[in-house]
Amino acid sequence: DSGVTQTPKHLITATGQRVTLRCSPRSGDLSVYWYQQSLDQGLQFLIQYYNGEERAKGNILERFSAQQFPDLHSELNLSSLELGDSALYFCASSVGRGSYYEQYFGPGTRLTVT
Amino acid sequence: KNEVEQSPQNLTAQEGEFITINCSYSVGISALHWLQQHPGGGIVSLFMLSSGKKKHGRLIATINIQEKHSSLHITASHPRDSAVYICAASVWNTDKLIFGTGTRLQVFP
């Protein structure tokens, strides 16, 4: 158990809908990263927050947004969902600001868009 | 060409064999991560290294910064080592990770 929690575990929704994925980092970790893993593209970095502030953006679509709250949990909002958004979404946390700190991964949320 | 390349893509071994998985990268890095993804999907960080060599049990990771190459070795492989192994580069001066496509390892008894 990494200490990182993600909810929900599974999510099935229809095209055009909006969903929110939630991540709680390990106790004491200030950074939260979001990743997408689809069958055809592997793992991709989406976005990072450190202590409530956005630090880095990767291949995140405009339909997607995220935030980190004062209690350090983070939410990833996916809107106008398309079939291609079906994927595993992982969050990870680390103690420091840079990606050269060890990251601890949550169990993931499997999103299926029908 | 991907900025982080892994080889081989698939690897089959008999229990007890010595395994090597390679990772080459073309970007400047601050660190190189090795991750293990279990068949159920969960991801575990195995190593993070910026120079030299690290060992944890039967796993050894090495990195050659000049050659931009890292290897993950598994000694005395076991069926429970069957998983996907992924290397990821922490890009220098950013907070981004770029992932390799992974190596699927199957170890048979």
Side-chain angles (χ1 to χ4, degrees), chain B:
Chain B
K1 188 172 157 68
N2 292 334
E3 293 168 299
V4 178
E5 298 262 358
Q6 278 186 246
S7 64
Q9 276 192 308
N10 295 286
L11 191 49
T12 302
Q14 287 294 124
E15 185 173 354
E17 285 185 7
F18 182 84
I19 305 286
T20 295
I21 300 170
N22 296 299
C23 176
S24 297
Y25 52 91
S26 57
V27 293
I29 67 166
S30 50
L32 194 288
H33 301 252
W34 281 101
L35 310 173
Q36 179 192 54
Q37 186 167 27
H38 298 289
I43 296 177
V44 173
S45 175
L46 297 175
F47 295 102
M48 188 195 59
L49 62 167
S50 54
S51 66
K53 178 177 171 176
K54 285 190 176 180
K55 185 175 191 287
H56 185 251
R58 296 180 294 105
L59 302 179
I60 303 165
T62 63
I63 189 166
N64 184 318
I65 298 294
Q66 286 73 31
E67 294 187 3
K68 295 192 170 184
H69 181 269
S70 177
S71 293
L72 176 69
H73 306 286
I74 305 175
T75 61
S77 59
H78 190 276
R80 65 174 174 267
D81 297 326
S82 299
V84 176
Y85 293 83
I86 303 168
C87 71
S90 290
V91 181
W92 175 257
N93 216 30
T94 76
D95 291 325
K96 297 181 183 180
L97 277 184
I98 301 177
F99 295 89
T101 51
T103 295
R104 184 175 301 275
L105 171 65
Q106 285 186 292
V107 182
F108 293 99

Side-chain angles (χ1 to χ4, degrees), chain A residues 13-100:
Chain A
T13 189
T15 54
Q17 295 298 304
R18 173 189 167 95
V19 297
T20 297
L21 312 184
R22 183 187 168 106
C23 170
S24 292
R26 282 189 333 153
S27 176
D29 284 357
L30 298 177
S31 272
V32 170
Y33 296 79
W34 284 99
Y35 300 102
Q36 180 193 56
Q37 186 177 39
S38 55
L39 275 175
D40 57 344
Q41 296 223 345
L43 267 166
Q44 289 203 83
F45 165 70
L46 294 178
I47 197 164
Q48 183 219 359
Y49 282 84
Y50 176 79
N51 204 20
E53 290 189 12
E54 183 185 303
R55 284 283 304 170
K57 253 183 175 175
N59 302 323
I60 187 165
L61 299 171
E62 281 193 19
R63 300 183 284 108
F64 296 1
S65 65
Q67 54 183 326
Q68 186 179 29
F69 294 87
D71 67 353
L72 301 177
H73 91 271
S74 178
E75 291 180 358
L76 179 67
N77 300 296
L78 315 176
S79 61
S80 303
L81 285 167
E82 301 174 1
L83 295 177
D85 298 327
S86 296
L88 260 173
Y89 291 84
F90 289 99
C91 80
S93 73
S94 68
V95 63
R97 186 168 14 200
S99 65
Y100 43 81

